[in-house]
PDB file of all heavy atoms in Angstrom:
ATOM      1  N   HIS A 480      11.386-110.450 -75.064  1.00 95.00           N
ATOM      2  CA  HIS A 480      10.092-111.099 -74.898  1.00 95.00           C
ATOM      3  C   HIS A 480       9.535-111.615 -76.218  1.00 95.00           C
ATOM      4  O   HIS A 480       8.864-112.653 -76.259  1.00 95.00           O
ATOM      5  CB  HIS A 480       9.086-110.126 -74.283  1.00 95.00           C
ATOM      6  CG  HIS A 480       9.462-109.659 -72.912  1.00 95.00           C
ATOM      7  ND1 HIS A 480      10.644-109.036 -72.629  1.00 95.00           N
ATOM      8  CD2 HIS A 480       8.779-109.707 -71.750  1.00 95.00           C
ATOM      9  CE1 HIS A 480      10.691-108.725 -71.348  1.00 95.00           C
ATOM     10  NE2 HIS A 480       9.570-109.132 -70.789  1.00 95.00           N
ATOM     11  N   ILE A 481       9.804-110.902 -77.310  1.00 96.00           N
ATOM     12  CA  ILE A 481       9.193-111.225 -78.605  1.00 96.00           C
ATOM     13  C   ILE A 481       9.543-112.644 -79.065  1.00 96.00           C
ATOM     14  O   ILE A 481       8.631-113.429 -79.371  1.00 96.00           O
ATOM     15  CB  ILE A 481       9.567-110.162 -79.657  1.00 96.00           C
ATOM     16  CG1 ILE A 481       8.937-108.815 -79.261  1.00 96.00           C
ATOM     17  CG2 ILE A 481       9.118-110.582 -81.049  1.00 96.00           C
ATOM     18  CD1 ILE A 481       9.430-107.626 -80.070  1.00 96.00           C
ATOM     19  N   PRO A 482      10.822-113.033 -79.135  1.00 97.00           N
ATOM     20  CA  PRO A 482      11.104-114.401 -79.596  1.00 97.00           C
ATOM     21  C   PRO A 482      10.549-115.476 -78.666  1.00 97.00           C
ATOM     22  O   PRO A 482      10.146-116.551 -79.133  1.00 97.00           O
ATOM     23  CB  PRO A 482      12.629-114.478 -79.660  1.00 97.00           C
ATOM     24  CG  PRO A 482      13.161-113.176 -79.237  1.00 97.00           C
ATOM     25  CD  PRO A 482      12.036-112.264 -78.921  1.00 97.00           C
ATOM     26  N   VAL A 483      10.503-115.198 -77.371  1.00 98.00           N
ATOM     27  CA  VAL A 483       9.987-116.197 -76.426  1.00 98.00           C
ATOM     28  C   VAL A 483       8.485-116.383 -76.631  1.00 98.00           C
ATOM     29  O   VAL A 483       7.987-117.509 -76.647  1.00 98.00           O
ATOM     30  CB  VAL A 483      10.316-115.805 -74.972  1.00 98.00           C
ATOM     31  CG1 VAL A 483       9.653-116.743 -73.993  1.00 98.00           C
ATOM     32  CG2 VAL A 483      11.826-115.784 -74.763  1.00 98.00           C
ATOM     33  N   LEU A 484       7.751-115.284 -76.797  1.00 98.00           N
ATOM     34  CA  LEU A 484       6.309-115.381 -77.032  1.00 98.00           C
ATOM     35  C   LEU A 484       6.030-116.121 -78.338  1.00 98.00           C
ATOM     36  O   LEU A 484       5.140-116.975 -78.405  1.00 98.00           O
ATOM     37  CB  LEU A 484       5.680-113.986 -77.049  1.00 98.00           C
ATOM     38  CG  LEU A 484       5.675-113.250 -75.713  1.00 98.00           C
ATOM     39  CD1 LEU A 484       5.359-111.770 -75.907  1.00 98.00           C
ATOM     40  CD2 LEU A 484       4.699-113.887 -74.735  1.00 98.00           C
ATOM     41  N   ILE A 485       6.793-115.804 -79.376  1.00 97.00           N
ATOM     42  CA  ILE A 485       6.625-116.497 -80.661  1.00 97.00           C
ATOM     43  C   ILE A 485       6.954-117.976 -80.511  1.00 97.00           C
ATOM     44  O   ILE A 485       6.230-118.840 -81.022  1.00 97.00           O
ATOM     45  CB  ILE A 485       7.508-115.843 -81.746  1.00 97.00           C
ATOM     46  CG1 ILE A 485       6.997-114.433 -82.062  1.00 97.00           C
ATOM     47  CG2 ILE A 485       7.542-116.695 -83.016  1.00 97.00           C
ATOM     48  CD1 ILE A 485       7.938-113.602 -82.913  1.00 97.00           C
ATOM     49  N   CYS A 486       8.025-118.276 -79.803  1.00 97.00           N
ATOM     50  CA  CYS A 486       8.443-119.670 -79.619  1.00 97.00           C
ATOM     51  C   CYS A 486       7.370-120.474 -78.893  1.00 97.00           C
ATOM     52  O   CYS A 486       7.054-121.597 -79.303  1.00 97.00           O
ATOM     53  CB  CYS A 486       9.763-119.725 -78.858  1.00 97.00           C
ATOM     54  SG  CYS A 486      10.456-121.384 -78.738  1.00 97.00           S
ATOM     55  N   GLY A 487       6.817-119.932 -77.823  1.00 97.00           N
ATOM     56  CA  GLY A 487       5.777-120.648 -77.095  1.00 97.00           C
ATOM     57  C   GLY A 487       4.582-120.967 -77.978  1.00 97.00           C
ATOM     58  O   GLY A 487       4.045-122.077 -77.947  1.00 97.00           O
ATOM     59  N   MET A 488       4.195-119.984 -78.810  1.00 96.00           N
ATOM     60  CA  MET A 488       3.014-120.177 -79.659  1.00 96.00           C
ATOM     61  C   MET A 488       3.292-121.087 -80.850  1.00 96.00           C
ATOM     62  O   MET A 488       2.364-121.743 -81.341  1.00 96.00           O
ATOM     63  CB  MET A 488       2.486-118.829 -80.144  1.00 96.00           C
ATOM     64  CG  MET A 488       1.942-117.983 -79.011  1.00 96.00           C
ATOM     65  SD  MET A 488       1.376-116.372 -79.552  1.00 96.00           S
ATOM     66  CE  MET A 488      -0.323-116.766 -79.901  1.00 96.00           C
ATOM     67  N   THR A 489       4.529-121.131 -81.318  1.00 94.00           N
ATOM     68  CA  THR A 489       4.813-121.918 -82.519  1.00 94.00           C
ATOM     69  C   THR A 489       5.500-123.248 -82.252  1.00 94.00           C
ATOM     70  O   THR A 489       5.319-124.197 -83.011  1.00 94.00           O
ATOM     71  CB  THR A 489       5.678-121.111 -83.509  1.00 94.00           C
ATOM     72  OG1 THR A 489       6.897-120.740 -82.874  1.00 94.00           O
ATOM     73  CG2 THR A 489       4.947-119.877 -84.006  1.00 94.00           C
ATOM     74  N   CYS A 490       6.281-123.316 -81.186  1.00 95.00           N
ATOM     75  CA  CYS A 490       7.054-124.537 -80.914  1.00 95.00           C
ATOM     76  C   CYS A 490       6.540-125.312 -79.714  1.00 95.00           C
ATOM     77  O   CYS A 490       6.976-126.426 -79.466  1.00 95.00           O
ATOM     78  CB  CYS A 490       8.527-124.184 -80.685  1.00 95.00           C
ATOM     79  SG  CYS A 490       9.298-123.372 -82.086  1.00 95.00           S
ATOM     80  N   GLY A 491       5.649-124.712 -78.940  1.00 96.00           N
ATOM     81  CA  GLY A 491       5.081-125.400 -77.787  1.00 96.00           C
ATOM     82  C   GLY A 491       5.667-124.931 -76.476  1.00 96.00           C
ATOM     83  O   GLY A 491       6.646-124.186 -76.424  1.00 96.00           O
ATOM     84  N   TRP A 492       5.048-125.385 -75.398  1.00 97.00           N
ATOM     85  CA  TRP A 492       5.389-124.884 -74.065  1.00 97.00           C
ATOM     86  C   TRP A 492       6.791-125.264 -73.610  1.00 97.00           C
ATOM     87  O   TRP A 492       7.473-124.483 -72.967  1.00 97.00           O
ATOM     88  CB  TRP A 492       4.348-125.342 -73.045  1.00 97.00           C
ATOM     89  CG  TRP A 492       4.374-126.811 -72.757  1.00 97.00           C
ATOM     90  CD1 TRP A 492       3.659-127.779 -73.393  1.00 97.00           C
ATOM     91  CD2 TRP A 492       5.151-127.473 -71.763  1.00 97.00           C
ATOM     92  NE1 TRP A 492       3.951-129.010 -72.865  1.00 97.00           N
ATOM     93  CE2 TRP A 492       4.862-128.851 -71.853  1.00 97.00           C
ATOM     94  CE3 TRP A 492       6.067-127.039 -70.804  1.00 97.00           C
ATOM     95  CZ2 TRP A 492       5.453-129.791 -71.023  1.00 97.00           C
ATOM     96  CZ3 TRP A 492       6.658-127.979 -69.978  1.00 97.00           C
ATOM     97  CH2 TRP A 492       6.350-129.338 -70.087  1.00 97.00           C
ATOM     98  N   ALA A 493       7.258-126.480 -73.934  1.00 98.00           N
ATOM     99  CA  ALA A 493       8.569-126.919 -73.455  1.00 98.00           C
ATOM    100  C   ALA A 493       9.691-126.101 -74.096  1.00 98.00           C
ATOM    101  O   ALA A 493      10.594-125.620 -73.405  1.00 98.00           O
ATOM    102  CB  ALA A 493       8.770-128.400 -73.730  1.00 98.00           C
ATOM    103  N   TRP A 494       9.621-125.904 -75.409  1.00 98.00           N
ATOM    104  CA  TRP A 494      10.638-125.117 -76.093  1.00 98.00           C
ATOM    105  C   TRP A 494      10.521-123.644 -75.721  1.00 98.00           C
ATOM    106  O   TRP A 494      11.533-122.964 -75.548  1.00 98.00           O
ATOM    107  CB  TRP A 494      10.548-125.304 -77.605  1.00 98.00           C
ATOM    108  CG  TRP A 494      11.030-126.647 -78.045  1.00 98.00           C
ATOM    109  CD1 TRP A 494      10.268-127.665 -78.541  1.00 98.00           C
ATOM    110  CD2 TRP A 494      12.370-127.132 -78.007  1.00 98.00           C
ATOM    111  NE1 TRP A 494      11.054-128.751 -78.811  1.00 98.00           N
ATOM    112  CE2 TRP A 494      12.361-128.452 -78.505  1.00 98.00           C
ATOM    113  CE3 TRP A 494      13.584-126.583 -77.606  1.00 98.00           C
ATOM    114  CZ2 TRP A 494      13.507-129.222 -78.605  1.00 98.00           C
ATOM    115  CZ3 TRP A 494      14.738-127.354 -77.712  1.00 98.00           C
ATOM    116  CH2 TRP A 494      14.682-128.656 -78.204  1.00 98.00           C
ATOM    117  N   GLY A 495       9.293-123.155 -75.612  1.00 98.00           N
ATOM    118  CA  GLY A 495       9.104-121.758 -75.218  1.00 98.00           C
ATOM    119  C   GLY A 495       9.647-121.481 -73.830  1.00 98.00           C
ATOM    120  O   GLY A 495      10.321-120.472 -73.597  1.00 98.00           O
ATOM    121  N   GLY A 496       9.383-122.378 -72.895  1.00 98.00           N
ATOM    122  CA  GLY A 496       9.895-122.214 -71.538  1.00 98.00           C
ATOM    123  C   GLY A 496      11.409-122.314 -71.481  1.00 98.00           C
ATOM    124  O   GLY A 496      12.074-121.546 -70.781  1.00 98.00           O
ATOM    125  N   THR A 497      11.962-123.250 -72.247  1.00 98.00           N
ATOM    126  CA  THR A 497      13.420-123.408 -72.288  1.00 98.00           C
ATOM    127  C   THR A 497      14.084-122.160 -72.861  1.00 98.00           C
ATOM    128  O   THR A 497      15.066-121.661 -72.304  1.00 98.00           O
ATOM    129  CB  THR A 497      13.800-124.648 -73.119  1.00 98.00           C
ATOM    130  OG1 THR A 497      13.176-125.801 -72.532  1.00 98.00           O
ATOM    131  CG2 THR A 497      15.299-124.839 -73.178  1.00 98.00           C
ATOM    132  N   LEU A 498      13.544-121.662 -73.961  1.00 98.00           N
ATOM    133  CA  LEU A 498      14.101-120.436 -74.548  1.00 98.00           C
ATOM    134  C   LEU A 498      13.987-119.275 -73.565  1.00 98.00           C
ATOM    135  O   LEU A 498      14.912-118.463 -73.454  1.00 98.00           O
ATOM    136  CB  LEU A 498      13.387-120.089 -75.858  1.00 98.00           C
ATOM    137  CG  LEU A 498      13.900-118.830 -76.566  1.00 98.00           C
ATOM    138  CD1 LEU A 498      15.352-118.994 -76.995  1.00 98.00           C
ATOM    139  CD2 LEU A 498      13.016-118.508 -77.762  1.00 98.00           C
ATOM    140  N   GLY A 499      12.883-119.217 -72.839  1.00 98.00           N
ATOM    141  CA  GLY A 499      12.694-118.153 -71.863  1.00 98.00           C
ATOM    142  C   GLY A 499      13.744-118.151 -70.766  1.00 98.00           C
ATOM    143  O   GLY A 499      14.159-117.089 -70.300  1.00 98.00           O
ATOM    144  N   VAL A 500      14.181-119.315 -70.348  1.00 98.00           N
ATOM    145  CA  VAL A 500      15.225-119.407 -69.312  1.00 98.00           C
ATOM    146  C   VAL A 500      16.592-119.108 -69.919  1.00 98.00           C
ATOM    147  O   VAL A 500      17.389-118.346 -69.356  1.00 98.00           O
ATOM    148  CB  VAL A 500      15.232-120.806 -68.653  1.00 98.00           C
ATOM    149  CG1 VAL A 500      16.454-120.987 -67.773  1.00 98.00           C
ATOM    150  CG2 VAL A 500      13.963-121.021 -67.855  1.00 98.00           C
ATOM    151  N   VAL A 501      16.875-119.694 -71.064  1.00 98.00           N
ATOM    152  CA  VAL A 501      18.213-119.621 -71.646  1.00 98.00           C
ATOM    153  C   VAL A 501      18.543-118.233 -72.187  1.00 98.00           C
ATOM    154  O   VAL A 501      19.659-117.728 -71.986  1.00 98.00           O
ATOM    155  CB  VAL A 501      18.364-120.685 -72.762  1.00 98.00           C
ATOM    156  CG1 VAL A 501      19.622-120.485 -73.582  1.00 98.00           C
ATOM    157  CG2 VAL A 501      18.311-122.082 -72.163  1.00 98.00           C
ATOM    158  N   LEU A 502      17.601-117.595 -72.855  1.00 97.00           N
ATOM    159  CA  LEU A 502      17.884-116.353 -73.572  1.00 97.00           C
ATOM    160  C   LEU A 502      18.438-115.235 -72.681  1.00 97.00           C
ATOM    161  O   LEU A 502      19.510-114.696 -72.986  1.00 97.00           O
ATOM    162  CB  LEU A 502      16.645-115.897 -74.344  1.00 97.00           C
ATOM    163  CG  LEU A 502      16.811-114.687 -75.245  1.00 97.00           C
ATOM    164  CD1 LEU A 502      17.936-114.878 -76.253  1.00 97.00           C
ATOM    165  CD2 LEU A 502      15.502-114.412 -75.969  1.00 97.00           C
ATOM    166  N   PRO A 503      17.785-114.853 -71.588  1.00 96.00           N
ATOM    167  CA  PRO A 503      18.364-113.753 -70.795  1.00 96.00           C
ATOM    168  C   PRO A 503      19.682-114.126 -70.118  1.00 96.00           C
ATOM    169  O   PRO A 503      20.575-113.279 -69.990  1.00 96.00           O
ATOM    170  CB  PRO A 503      17.282-113.421 -69.764  1.00 96.00           C
ATOM    171  CG  PRO A 503      16.436-114.633 -69.679  1.00 96.00           C
ATOM    172  CD  PRO A 503      16.501-115.282 -71.032  1.00 96.00           C
ATOM    173  N   LEU A 504      19.824-115.385 -69.718  1.00 97.00           N
ATOM    174  CA  LEU A 504      21.054-115.799 -69.062  1.00 97.00           C
ATOM    175  C   LEU A 504      22.223-115.865 -70.061  1.00 97.00           C
ATOM    176  O   LEU A 504      23.354-115.474 -69.742  1.00 97.00           O
ATOM    177  CB  LEU A 504      20.865-117.140 -68.363  1.00 97.00           C
ATOM    178  CG  LEU A 504      19.783-117.158 -67.268  1.00 97.00           C
ATOM    179  CD1 LEU A 504      19.640-118.550 -66.684  1.00 97.00           C
ATOM    180  CD2 LEU A 504      20.067-116.127 -66.194  1.00 97.00           C
ATOM    181  N   LEU A 505      21.949-116.323 -71.269  1.00 97.00           N
ATOM    182  CA  LEU A 505      22.981-116.368 -72.297  1.00 97.00           C
ATOM    183  C   LEU A 505      23.383-114.961 -72.733  1.00 97.00           C
ATOM    184  O   LEU A 505      24.563-114.667 -72.893  1.00 97.00           O
ATOM    185  CB  LEU A 505      22.501-117.187 -73.497  1.00 97.00           C
ATOM    186  CG  LEU A 505      23.517-117.430 -74.609  1.00 97.00           C
ATOM    187  CD1 LEU A 505      24.763-118.136 -74.082  1.00 97.00           C
ATOM    188  CD2 LEU A 505      22.874-118.244 -75.728  1.00 97.00           C
ATOM    189  N   ARG A 506      22.407-114.069 -72.886  1.00 95.00           N
ATOM    190  CA  ARG A 506      22.728-112.681 -73.228  1.00 95.00           C
ATOM    191  C   ARG A 506      23.536-112.023 -72.119  1.00 95.00           C
ATOM    192  O   ARG A 506      24.439-111.238 -72.382  1.00 95.00           O
ATOM    193  CB  ARG A 506      21.455-111.877 -73.482  1.00 95.00           C
ATOM    194  CG  ARG A 506      21.059-111.888 -74.941  1.00 95.00           C
ATOM    195  CD  ARG A 506      20.051-110.808 -75.259  1.00 95.00           C
ATOM    196  NE  ARG A 506      20.536-109.822 -76.176  1.00 95.00           N
ATOM    197  CZ  ARG A 506      21.416-108.860 -75.966  1.00 95.00           C
ATOM    198  NH1 ARG A 506      21.970-108.715 -74.844  1.00 95.00           N
ATOM    199  NH2 ARG A 506      21.752-108.003 -76.882  1.00 95.00           N
ATOM    200  N   MET A 507      23.202-112.330 -70.882  1.00 95.00           N
ATOM    201  CA  MET A 507      23.960-111.775 -69.762  1.00 95.00           C
ATOM    202  C   MET A 507      25.410-112.275 -69.823  1.00 95.00           C
ATOM    203  O   MET A 507      26.346-111.498 -69.656  1.00 95.00           O
ATOM    204  CB  MET A 507      23.326-112.176 -68.432  1.00 95.00           C
ATOM    205  CG  MET A 507      24.096-111.687 -67.204  1.00 95.00           C
ATOM    206  SD  MET A 507      23.510-112.415 -65.672  1.00 95.00           S
ATOM    207  CE  MET A 507      24.030-114.111 -65.868  1.00 95.00           C
ATOM    208  N   ALA A 508      25.588-113.562 -70.083  1.00 95.00           N
ATOM    209  CA  ALA A 508      26.936-114.139 -70.130  1.00 95.00           C
ATOM    210  C   ALA A 508      27.744-113.603 -71.312  1.00 95.00           C
ATOM    211  O   ALA A 508      28.934-113.345 -71.175  1.00 95.00           O
ATOM    212  CB  ALA A 508      26.846-115.658 -70.208  1.00 95.00           C
ATOM    213  N   LEU A 509      27.090-113.423 -72.452  1.00 95.00           N
ATOM    214  CA  LEU A 509      27.801-112.985 -73.650  1.00 95.00           C
ATOM    215  C   LEU A 509      28.013-111.477 -73.727  1.00 95.00           C
ATOM    216  O   LEU A 509      29.069-111.014 -74.152  1.00 95.00           O
ATOM    217  CB  LEU A 509      27.051-113.442 -74.908  1.00 95.00           C
ATOM    218  CG  LEU A 509      26.982-114.938 -75.164  1.00 95.00           C
ATOM    219  CD1 LEU A 509      26.078-115.230 -76.357  1.00 95.00           C
ATOM    220  CD2 LEU A 509      28.365-115.511 -75.391  1.00 95.00           C
TER     221      LEU A 509
END
C-alpha cells in the first residue's frame, strides 16, 4: 500500500491507479 499511496500523492491519479493495479499482479506473477 505504501508505494501506491505515495505514487498517487506525488505522481497523480493515473499513475497511482496504474501502479495499484500492476503491483500486486506483478508480485503475484514473480
Side-chain angles (χ1 to χ4, degrees):
H480 298 57
I481 294 169
V483 173
L484 292 166
I485 292 169
C486 186
M488 294 178 91
T489 59
C490 300
W492 70 269
W494 287 110
T497 302
L498 181 63
V500 170
V501 169
L502 185 55
L504 300 178
L505 185 58
R506 268 196 116 287
M507 177 191 69
L509 294 174

